[in-house]
Amino acid sequence: MNTPTILTGLRVNSELTLGNFLGALVPMVRLANAHSETFHINIFVPDLHSIISDIDGELQTNIIKSLKYYLAAGLKINDNIHFYRQSYVPAHTELSWMLNCIATMGELNRMTQYKDKSAGKESVNVGIFDYPVLMAADILLYDAKYIPVGEDQFQHLELTRRLAERFNRKFGETFTLPATPKEQITFMSGGSDQDGIRIRDLQNPERKMSKSNPAPNSKIMLDDEPTTAAKKIMSATTDSLGKISFDMFNQPGISNLLQIEALVNDLPLQDVVSTWSGETHYGDLKQKVAASVSTMLADFQRKFATISDQEIFDLLETGETYANEVANKKLLSVQQAFKLR
Ligand code: ATP
Ligand code: MG
């Protein structure tokens, strides 16, 4: 039996926030640890996706750092975990070109991400238009079944399925279709109540926390000093109702703090909510959450510091050997379909 694949990649154009950590990194590490006996877990750095927009800091530093983050967040390494950099597996760009030849301008034009990212701009690079096709190649090269992505990427996942179907119809069974977005959600949630969480902006809790928000107090970064992070929590916007309850609509700031408290301590949200419901001193809750976040960050940063660059390079070496082997095999069958080989 073929071992199925779960595939994930995080763009490393800048430092990550607590939102990225709690909403993407930690759930991915959980998923990997739960399934790495029965699935290949491909954790790749989409460096070719990074260059379609500006990069904060040094790309090489960001790459190594991001892979250390998986380990610091508790990823257990075994033979089924594969770390690789997209640009070190040339089949990604080659397949992407071939998929370009079956994708249409019309379907790429309909991508909401493209519309959002190009809105109001005088000039937009072709990469921003075409990256969903590269993303399809990232997935199809490995016959990946599950790709834990946010809702904003579902349209790209549907595009991937459509391209694979079109190719298979024209040339015969070549690609495995990834699971539908609905099946992905069912698989990823695995019955947990922490699915689809959105950590809110600390200053403006109606919005989600985003790394691209320039306001430093709106977000906690993974490399913030724990004391700085605590101060940001203490200055978080709340409300004037004067009574704690979990109500994202009327009390988004307070609800966000309860949510963070639960996730950081790995407690069911219900438990945290029942501990604090009805309390009137917002300052007490802030102090507790500030302590939880700074302890968690200090612990995470301590673990991060123990991981050497060499450890990551070693993982990349074996991972890239594996990835090239699998990807080149798939690429050859596509080249043969097009009569290029
Ligand atoms: P940007 O402002 O550049 O869009 P971002 O912080 O929204 O950055 P993304 O790169 O868009 O981050 O997303 C990376 C991952 O983090 C995705 O899986 C996304 O769902 C998740 N994520 C982003 N923001 C949050 C948040 N506030 N809470 C939980 N998860 C989040
Ligand atoms: Mg985003």
Side-chain angles (χ1 to χ4, degrees):
M1 272 304 285
N2 277 348
T3 308
T5 296
I6 300 173
L7 177 135
T8 186
L10 258 183
R11 250 159 49 104
V12 294
N13 289 43
S14 63
E15 182 59 70
L16 300 181
T17 67
L18 184 68
N20 303 138
F21 180 76
L22 297 175
L25 199 67
V26 169
M28 183 57 216
V29 165
R30 276 221 183 99
L31 195 72
N33 286 345
H35 295 286
S36 67
E37 294 300 322
T38 44
F39 281 83
H40 285 293
I41 314 283
N42 290 16
I43 298 179
F44 81 109
V45 183
D47 52 357
L48 295 168
H49 287 285
S50 283
I51 62 173
I52 66 175
S53 57
D54 292 342
I55 294 166
D56 277 353
E58 266 240 80
L59 184 57
Q60 288 304 318
T61 313
N62 296 357
I63 289 171
I64 301 306
K65 204 172 173 187
S66 75
L67 293 172
K68 287 183 181 177
Y69 280 167
Y70 286 98
L71 300 184
L75 178 71
K76 295 197 191 79
I77 295 295
N78 68 18
D79 288 349
N80 280 342
I81 306 269
H82 313 289
F83 276 8
Y84 56 93
R85 292 160 289 189
Q86 185 186 30
S87 74
Y88 281 69
V89 186
H92 288 244
T93 36
E94 291 192 49
L95 179 61
S96 169
W97 177 258
M98 292 176 211
L99 294 176
N100 272 334
C101 299
I102 65 160
T104 69
M105 298 288 287
E107 62 195 345
L108 291 183
N109 251 321
R110 282 196 294 277
M111 295 294 123
T112 317
Q113 289 285 308
Y114 167 66
K115 288 188 207 159
D116 287 353
K117 288 184 171 152
S118 59
K121 292 207 176 121
E122 207 168 283
S123 147
V124 176
N125 72 55
V126 177
I128 290 186
F129 179 69
D130 196 36
Y131 84 90
V133 177
L134 178 59
M135 184 169 156
D138 299 335
I139 295 169
L140 296 177
L141 277 176
Y142 304 91
D143 289 325
K145 182 161 187 197
Y146 295 114
I147 303 97
V149 289
E151 208 185 326
D152 56 329
Q153 297 295 321
F154 283 173
Q155 207 185 9
H156 297 161
L157 205 58
E158 294 286 20
L159 174 73
T160 303
R161 288 172 50 85
R162 222 170 31 244
L163 293 178
E165 231 167 9
R166 191 175 306 158
F167 189 97
N168 287 349
R169 214 177 319 118
K170 196 163 173 195
F171 297 104
E173 280 307 305
T174 307
F175 296 120
T176 305
L177 268 59
T180 63
K182 202 161 165 257
E183 291 164 338
Q184 304 270 355
I185 293 173
T186 309
F187 176 74
M188 286 182 282
S189 61
S192 108
D193 65 342
Q194 298 183 344
D195 184 48
I197 53 126
R198 275 283 168 271
I199 302 301
R200 304 300 183 100
D201 182 314
L202 294 177
Q203 295 291 295
N204 220 328
E206 283 81 24
R207 296 194 311 215
K208 76 165 198 70
M209 185 182 287
S210 287
K211 56 177 140 62
S212 59
N213 184 339
N217 283 337
S218 71
K219 56 191 181 178
I220 289 174
M221 309 308 293
L222 290 185
D223 64 355
D224 273 351
E225 288 289 340
T227 50
T228 308
K231 280 189 198 126
K232 289 181 183 178
I233 298 279
M234 293 308 294
S235 68
T237 302
T238 51
D239 56 67
S240 51
L241 294 176
K243 198 166 162 194
I244 294 175
S245 72
F246 188 81
D247 177 349
M248 273 296 179
F249 190 71
N250 295 305
Q251 297 186 273
I254 285 293
S255 305
N256 190 39
L257 293 178
L258 292 168
Q259 171 86 273
I260 293 173
E261 174 68 6
L263 288 169
V264 162
N265 294 303
D266 200 11
L267 291 169
L269 179 61
Q270 265 327 309
D271 291 7
V272 174
V273 171
S274 56
T275 304
W276 288 93
S277 278
E279 296 286 334
T280 52
H281 296 291
Y282 287 2
D284 293 350
L285 174 63
K286 283 185 170 181
Q287 245 154 21
K288 177 68 177 69
V289 179
S292 297
V293 169
S294 60
T295 305
M296 187 280 284
L297 271 187
D299 188 45
F300 177 73
Q301 292 169 0
R302 205 174 311 113
K303 277 192 217 140
F304 174 85
T306 64
I307 305 159
S308 69
D309 289 4
Q310 192 55 48
E311 204 172 319
I312 300 300
F313 286 125
D314 290 347
L315 288 168
L316 284 171
E317 194 176 323
T318 44
E320 283 161 7
T321 304
Y322 165 84
N324 273 296
E325 220 167 83
V326 175
N328 285 337
K329 216 159 133 192
K330 183 62 78 182
L331 182 68
L332 178 62
S333 58
V334 179
Q335 289 167 326
Q336 286 169 334
F338 278 118
K339 309 289 184 220
L340 292 162
R341 295 289 183 277

